[in-house]
């Protein structure tokens, strides 16, 4: 399956990962899963070898046209 791109507010975006919460499963309760997933989907767990049902899902797009041109120095501890 080819990755699909779209422009929003000057950003070239694609669907990257889905932040999920599991209805059942590991104590952590969820994590970032590659791809687009919806509530009630059964997906592989990032923390164990099992699969779990998704109770909440938030698709997080990936921006492909961002360039870092200048980095601000970190503040020194104690300043």
């Amino acid at each position: 399956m080819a990755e699909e791109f779209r422009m929003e507010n000057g950003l070239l975006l694609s669907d990257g990962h889905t932040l999920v919460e599991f209805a059942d499963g590991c104590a952590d309760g969820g994590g970032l899963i590659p791809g687009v997933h919806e509530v009630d989907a059964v997906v592989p767990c990032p923390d164990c070898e099992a699969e779990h049902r998704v109770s909440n899902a938030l698709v997080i797009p990936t921006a492909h046209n961002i360039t870092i041109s200048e980095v601000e120095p970190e503040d020194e501890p104690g300043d």
Side-chain angles (χ1 to χ4, degrees), residues 11-73:
L11 293 173
L12 179 63
L13 301 175
S14 68
D15 294 327
H17 290 77
T18 303
L19 181 61
V20 299
E21 289 184 12
F22 295 131
D24 56 352
C26 296
D28 288 341
L32 278 174
I33 308 293
V36 176
H37 304 283
E38 297 180 359
V39 172
D40 290 330
V42 177
V43 298
C45 180
D47 299 320
C48 73
E49 295 181 14
E51 293 184 335
H52 306 297
R53 187 176 63 81
V54 175
S55 62
N56 288 308
L58 174 65
V59 176
I60 301 173
T62 300
H64 296 272
N65 62 339
I66 294 178
T67 303
I68 298 173
S69 59
E70 185 176 329
V71 178
E72 293 184 16

